[in-house]
């Protein structure tokens, strides 16, 4: 399964690199399949650009894409929650096979895969929404840089096809990226170094990209990650998850106390 997923990911990356590297202008007469997709995205954005405001078109386009991905994101969030819940069991299995030899690795992986199956967890589901969004992001970038009627659009204080001179959009994109990652991490029963580091590294990465990319791309990131924050609070509110987990622990403690109290009474008799 892991090998199959890796092959699909590499094939998808190779396809994007091969098809999304064009620099010539894209028009309605373009014959290349990727160019047609890019032009189609541009047409959708122009249709949604009420009052001729391309920024409004990008905002509405982003919301439509995120809304369409909502069922997939819901599945991903639930899978991630189940993954978090079984982390203590995974650590027990890893401690059971401390040896690095191939046989121990094989037995450990078999037990972990069995644990995944029993809890209906797909460890690769967390990457799926990102994989789905990548072609959309590439097509949007290409539309803003290769379709003439989008390259020269303006919105608020910036030009859609140029870099944001005030850095406001890149900063907002980084802030919302951090908030979306932080909220997802907050509900985890246990935190690992990788998850924590990515929570802080990704916003920096987005900030650097936002500073160097067209303002339209940064605007997409701002709206997309703001939507992600809203979605997390709606579908996987970490404060509700933590409260439910603490309530469950308290119920178990109350059961133990009640059992101990009952045993004490029995002994007195």
């Amino acid at each position: 399964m892991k090998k199959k997923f890796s092959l699909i990911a590499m094939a998808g990356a190779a396809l994007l690199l091969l098809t999304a590297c064009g620099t010539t202008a894209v028009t309605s007469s373009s014959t290349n399949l990727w160019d047609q997709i890019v032009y189609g995205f541009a047409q959708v954005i122009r249709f949604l650009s009420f009052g001729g405001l391309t920024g409004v078109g990008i905002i509405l386009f982003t919301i439509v894409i995120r809304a369409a991905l909502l069922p997939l994101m819901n599945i991903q969030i639930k899978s991630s929650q189940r993954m978090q819940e079984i982390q203590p069991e995974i650590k027990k299995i890893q401690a059971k096979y401390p040896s690095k030899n191939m046989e121990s690795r094989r037995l450990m992986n078999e037990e972990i895969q069995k644990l995944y199956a029993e809890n209906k967890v797909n460890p690769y589901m967390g990457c799926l929404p990102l994989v789905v969004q990548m072609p959309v992001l590439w097509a949007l970038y290409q539309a803003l840089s290769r379709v003439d009627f989008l390259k020269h659009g303006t919105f608020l204080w910036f030009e859609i096809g140029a870099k944001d001179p005030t850095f406001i959009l890149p900063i907002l994109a980084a802030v919302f990226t951090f908030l979306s990652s932080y909220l997802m991490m907050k509900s985890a029963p246990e935190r690992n170094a990788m998850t924590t580091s990515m929570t802080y590294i990704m916003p920096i990465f987005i900030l650097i990209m936002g500073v160097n990319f067209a303002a339209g791309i940064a605007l997409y990131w701002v709206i997309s990650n703001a939507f992600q924050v809203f979605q997390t609070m709606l579908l996987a509110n970490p404060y509700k998850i933590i409260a439910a987990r603490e309530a469950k622990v308290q119920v178990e403690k109350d059961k133990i106390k009640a059992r101990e109290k009952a045993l004490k009474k029995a002994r007195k008799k």
Side-chain angles (χ1 to χ4, degrees), residues 139-155:
L140 178 60
Y141 173 74
Q142 292 275 290
L144 292 173
S145 60
R146 299 175 64 196
V147 180
D148 189 64
F149 62 77
L150 287 188
K151 284 196 298 184
H152 306 296
T154 59
F155 183 66

Side-chain angles (χ1 to χ4, degrees), residues 124-263:
Y124 306 114
M125 186 59 69
C127 301
L128 190 55
L130 179 61
V131 172
V132 172
Q133 286 187 80
M134 281 306 294
V136 175
L137 186 60
W138 271 109
L140 178 60
Y141 173 74
Q142 292 275 290
L144 292 173
S145 60
R146 299 175 64 196
V147 180
D148 189 64
F149 62 77
L150 287 188
K151 284 196 298 184
H152 306 296
T154 59
F155 183 66
L156 297 179
W157 68 89
F158 56 88
E159 290 187 16
I160 295 296
K163 299 174 185 177
D164 180 2
T166 64
F167 305 119
I168 292 174
L169 289 175
I171 291 171
L172 286 176
V175 168
F176 282 118
T177 299
F178 171 76
L179 285 175
S180 63
S181 299
Y182 174 78
L183 289 172
M184 289 298 294
M185 181 183 69
K186 187 174 179 63
S187 62
E190 296 182 6
R191 300 177 186 179
N192 55 57
M194 178 63 73
T195 303
T196 303
S197 61
M198 287 304 293
T199 299
Y200 294 96
I201 291 173
M202 278 304 294
I204 297 173
F205 177 72
I206 291 294
L207 176 62
I208 295 171
M209 296 269 288
V211 167
N212 291 282
F213 276 37
I217 297 293
L219 179 62
Y220 172 85
W221 277 326
V222 170
I223 303 304
S224 182
N225 285 297
F227 191 99
Q228 176 76 23
V229 171
F230 167 76
Q231 175 184 278
T232 301
M233 294 301 292
L234 180 66
L235 301 177
N237 190 313
Y239 302 101
K240 289 182 179 180
I241 292 173
I242 292 170
R245 189 181 296 133
E246 290 175 348
K248 185 177 179 181
V249 170
Q250 188 60 47
V251 167
E252 292 299 321
K253 288 181 179 179
D254 291 342
K255 286 182 180 179
I256 292 171
K257 287 181 179 179
R259 194 179 302 118
E260 290 175 350
K261 190 175 180 180
L263 285 172

